[in-house]
């Protein structure tokens, strides 16, 4: 999932390490009775400044706790956490991608949330995000950002093709894709639907969202084996196979570059792609690319497959965790700060300070009260379907080996999109490679 290697560069403006703070770990408890904690993030300078202001507001009411913010590029975040987090003087708080949590817990780097914090999280966040922030039955982080996938479509192209509403089922998806596709000399000049390749989450998450909407799952309930051998997964792969065979999708128009932009974004923005399944965070990139034509973009739920009963989208989240190696004083101070930062009294008009920061980046906050406090700002033609889909979203499985399993599935999806294998063979290969990847990681 490319968000784990280069997180929406345009939307976040990934920061270089802040020279003023460096990244050498947290300060020791001060001799004057104050406790200094450090907050490691990959956010850009504007968001770091907002976080620092929130930390100052917290310290004004809690003068014995000082919070210092450190920033590194996203590509260095996990390695910094691993190398410095093993020390008691490493970063006290870290913002992490939920897929990393199981291995951080296994390695003793993610603290268990105190009982009162865990109770607050369980009561005030969607249950699927509580699950993502938990490992081994214990809560280890406070969810903040949530991302999920929906069908993005071009209303102008739909109107031109005589399509009145977005597809709700796979049959409608196929029918609409046919109406939207244009060819010239045997080449596809406008694809009915695009599927991203060359970027992990861009390839895997849309496939798994369609799978979830067909009643299937990526892994078994235990999270230690592939669930891609069932009929729901085969039907999903065969949907891809049919779209490729009928020339309703063109893999060359949907590749991604190292910055998670490239042809897939360019062709959608240029009106050469009718539909694309994508996450909410690319809104800013679309606006920049399309200008006034962004008004033609709308979003809708993932179409439901023949074996499914409801639309569902793969979701993933970010959370803040506390260094289990830190001193008791630092850990207690960190959980106190995080509870305040994510609580309804720290921001404006019932919103948390964390939500206020996330919204400046066009990102969905995840606390229930934040969604309520910011309901008006989130009810836009683009974001409203994402907010509605939170209730039925399927969290990407956060298990040890989850990243390696996703990489294995990506390879088969891309082979399928490039016409190298059929749906049955793709799922057969994926099952073998996913099981092997998980087994290696969980040894």
């Amino acid at each position: 999932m490319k968000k784990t290697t280069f997180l929406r560069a345009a939307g976040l403006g990934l920061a270089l390490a802040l020279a003023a703070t460096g990244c050498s770990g947290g300060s020791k408890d001060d001799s004057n009775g104050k406790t200094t904690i450090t907050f490691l993030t990959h956010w850009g300078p504007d968001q770091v400044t907002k976080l620092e202001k929130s930390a100052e507001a917290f310290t004004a009411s809690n003068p014995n706790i000082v919070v210092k913010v450190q920033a590194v590029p996203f590509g260095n975040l996990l390695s910094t956490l691993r190398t410095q987090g093993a020390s008691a003087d490493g970063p006290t708080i870290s913002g992490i991608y939920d897929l990393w949590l199981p291995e951080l817990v296994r390695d003793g780097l993610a603290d268990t949330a105190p009982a009162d914090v865990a109770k607050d999280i369980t009561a005030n966040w969607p249950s699927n995000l509580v699950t993502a922030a938990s490992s081994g039955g214990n809560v280890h982080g406070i969810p903040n950002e949530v991302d999920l996938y929906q069908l993005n479509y071009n209303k102008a192209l739909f109107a031109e093709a005589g399509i009145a509403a977005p597809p709700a089922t796979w049959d409608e998806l196929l029918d609409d894709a046919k109406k939207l596709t244009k060819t010239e000399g045997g080449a596809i000049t406008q694809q009915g639907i695009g599927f991203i390749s060359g970027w992990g989450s861009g390839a895997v998450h849309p496939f798994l969202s369609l799978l979830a909407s067909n009643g299937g799952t990526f892994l078994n309930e235990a999270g230690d084996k592939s669930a891609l051998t069932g009929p729901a997964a085969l039907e999903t792969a065969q949907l891809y196979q049919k779209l490729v065979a009928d020339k309703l999708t063109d893999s060359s128009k949907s590749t991604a570059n190292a910055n998670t932009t490239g042809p897939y974004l360019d062709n959608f923005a240029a009106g050469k792609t009718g539909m694309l399944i994508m996450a909410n965070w690319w809104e800013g990139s679309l606006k920049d690319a399309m200008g006034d034509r962004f008004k033609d973009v709308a979003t809708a739920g993932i179409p439901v497959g023949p074996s499914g009963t409801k639309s569902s989208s793969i979701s993933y989240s970010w959370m803040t965790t506390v260094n289990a190696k830190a001193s008791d004083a630092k850990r207690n101070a960190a959980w106190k700060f995080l509870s305040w930062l994510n609580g309804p009294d720290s921001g404006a008009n019932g919103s948390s300070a964390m939500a206020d920061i996330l919204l400046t980046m066009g990102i969905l906050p995840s606390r229930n009260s934040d969604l309520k406090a910011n309901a008006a700002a989130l009810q836009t033609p683009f974001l409203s379907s994402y907010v509605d889909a939170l209730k039925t979203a399927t969290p990407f499985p956060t298990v040890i080996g989850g990243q390696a399993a996703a990489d294995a599935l990506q390879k088969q999806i891309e082979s399928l999109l490039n016409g190298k294998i059929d749906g049955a063979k793709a799922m057969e290969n994926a099952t073998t490679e996913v099981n092997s990847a998980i087994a290696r990681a969980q040894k």
Side-chain angles (χ1 to χ4, degrees):
M1 34 201 81
K2 208 63 169 191
K3 191 177 174 185
T4 66
T5 56
F6 197 103
L7 179 66
R8 52 178 179 282
L12 284 183
L14 298 180
L16 295 175
L18 296 186
T21 58
C23 201
S24 59
S27 301
K28 296 180 180 180
D29 297 354
D30 298 340
S31 58
N32 60 4
K34 291 186 177 182
T35 299
T36 299
I37 59 176
T38 48
F39 192 129
L40 177 66
T41 180
H42 64 288
W43 285 348
D46 290 346
Q47 286 70 45
V48 166
T49 298
K50 290 179 173 60
L51 181 57
E52 287 173 334
K53 289 181 178 178
S54 293
E56 290 169 4
F58 172 79
T59 298
S61 300
N62 299 271
N64 292 328
I65 301 175
V66 177
V67 183
K68 293 185 177 181
V69 182
Q70 300 173 338
V72 296
F74 176 76
N76 297 346
L77 181 59
L78 182 58
S79 60
T80 300
L81 176 57
R82 285 199 167 281
T83 56
Q84 298 186 8
S87 165
D89 291 328
T92 322
I93 298 169
S94 298
I96 70 162
Y97 175 39
D98 60 12
L99 190 58
W100 301 342
L101 183 64
E103 294 184 25
L104 294 176
V105 172
R106 178 198 63 188
D107 298 340
L109 299 178
D111 194 27
T112 301
D116 60 330
V117 177
K119 182 178 180 180
D120 176 51
I121 294 168
T122 302
N124 292 300
W125 269 266
S127 60
N128 53 1
L129 297 187
V130 177
T131 298
S134 302
S135 183
N138 295 314
V139 175
H140 289 273
I142 298 183
N144 41 65
E145 168 186 349
V146 60
D147 296 281
L148 64 162
Y149 286 72
Q150 291 284 267
L151 183 75
N152 287 224
Y153 63 98
N154 188 310
K155 293 185 293 183
L157 298 184
F158 267 54
E160 179 185 322
I163 305 171
T169 66
W170 288 9
D171 284 342
E172 292 176 2
L173 178 69
L174 285 165
D175 187 51
D176 291 348
K178 290 177 183 177
K179 294 177 181 177
L180 290 162
T181 298
K182 295 180 181 180
T183 60
E184 185 176 320
I188 300 173
T189 56
Q190 178 178 299
Q191 61 178 341
I193 184 168
F195 291 102
I196 302 169
S197 60
W199 160 33
S201 57
V204 171
H205 286 173
F207 180 90
L208 294 182
S209 293
L210 285 163
L211 175 59
S213 295
N214 196 36
T217 61
F218 180 22
L219 303 179
N220 63 8
E221 189 173 348
D224 60 359
K225 290 280 194 305
S226 163
L228 298 173
T229 55
L234 178 58
E235 288 170 347
T236 307
Q238 289 174 335
L239 171 66
Y240 275 49
Q241 180 182 335
K242 182 169 179 56
L243 287 163
V244 171
D246 291 352
K247 295 185 177 180
L248 306 178
T249 187
D250 180 358
S251 60
S252 69
K253 286 183 168 54
S254 300
T255 55
N257 60 27
N259 294 342
T260 67
T261 59
Y264 85 91
L265 170 61
D266 299 339
N267 282 297
F268 187 88
K272 296 179 181 180
T273 299
M275 298 179 283
L276 188 77
I277 296 173
M278 186 50 180
N280 49 279
W281 59 258
W282 86 321
E283 180 184 20
S285 298
L286 274 183
K287 287 180 176 178
D288 290 342
M290 298 183 76
D292 291 342
R293 291 180 294 108
F294 178 74
K295 67 180 185 302
D296 292 331
V297 179
T299 63
I302 304 294
V304 179
S307 297
T309 59
K310 63 182 180 180
S311 175
S312 185
S313 166
I314 289 297
S315 66
Y316 58 96
S317 59
W318 282 73
M319 69 188 77
T320 41
T321 58
V322 173
N323 185 358
K325 305 291 188 181
S327 67
D328 289 347
K330 288 177 184 282
R331 287 188 291 109
N332 290 338
W335 285 115
K336 185 174 183 178
F337 171 63
L338 289 178
S339 295
W340 174 86
L341 183 70
N342 292 277
D345 299 325
S346 58
N349 302 317
S351 178
S352 70
M354 176 61 80
D356 291 347
I357 297 171
L358 294 175
L359 287 166
T360 67
M361 296 183 274
I363 298 172
L364 295 179
S366 59
R367 185 182 173 108
N368 294 330
S369 58
D370 284 331
L371 292 173
K372 183 177 180 180
N374 296 287
L378 296 172
Q379 287 303 310
T380 68
F382 186 88
L383 287 177
S384 60
S385 73
Y386 288 98
V387 176
D388 293 342
L390 286 171
K391 296 176 183 177
T392 59
T394 300
F396 189 91
T398 52
V399 299
I400 294 174
Q403 181 65 67
D407 293 342
L409 177 57
Q410 177 192 353
K411 183 171 73 171
Q412 300 307 319
I413 291 172
E414 292 180 350
S415 292
L416 182 57
L417 288 171
N418 288 314
K420 295 180 179 179
I421 54 177
D422 62 20
K425 187 62 176 177
M427 293 301 94
E428 178 186 337
N429 291 348
T431 294
T432 299
E433 295 183 15
V434 165
N435 288 345
S436 177
I438 294 176
R440 287 196 303 269
Q442 296 187 354
K443 282 183 179 179

